[in-house]
Amino acid sequence: MTIFINFLRSLLLTIIFSFVAPMLLVGGGLFLLSLIGHFPGLQEFTEAIATQVMHFLATFGSGTPLRGLFVISLTWSFVGALFDMYAYYRCQILRIDS
């Protein structure tokens, strides 16, 4: 029973971290762009990049960048869960074969 609980704990942590990772990456990137935009001459450049990122997110979110970010985060969490299940299965198979 403890193996199953460990598997569920690992799966839940993987889902949570895989969901949060793209949010931190996109948020950190937009924050970095806003900081770089304070340098003289780079404001138009960073605004253009931020606008393109928002358009990219809006593509996945039916016109809303925040919804697009949630769609991408859910996809990452699903893929992370699949990878965690595969790694758990592979570990069990290798343990049985030893």
Side-chain angles (χ1 to χ4, degrees), residues 59-71:
T59 301
F60 289 102
S62 302
T64 307
L66 186 61
R67 189 180 298 165
L69 184 59
F70 281 135
V71 167

Side-chain angles (χ1 to χ4, degrees), residues 29-95:
L30 290 174
F31 180 72
L32 186 65
L33 283 173
S34 71
L35 288 179
I36 293 173
H38 289 300
F39 290 113
L42 294 177
Q43 185 175 7
E44 294 85 14
F45 180 67
T46 56
E47 283 180 7
I49 293 174
T51 303
Q52 291 299 318
V53 169
M54 293 304 224
H55 284 296
F56 175 77
L57 291 174
T59 301
F60 289 102
S62 302
T64 307
L66 186 61
R67 189 180 298 165
L69 184 59
F70 281 135
V71 167
I72 291 172
S73 296
L74 284 172
T75 305
W76 276 40
S77 66
F78 179 70
V79 171
L82 287 176
F83 180 73
D84 189 51
M85 286 189 284
Y86 170 74
Y88 177 78
Y89 167 76
R90 189 73 179 142
C91 180
Q92 293 299 320
I93 294 298
L94 290 176
R95 187 178 297 157

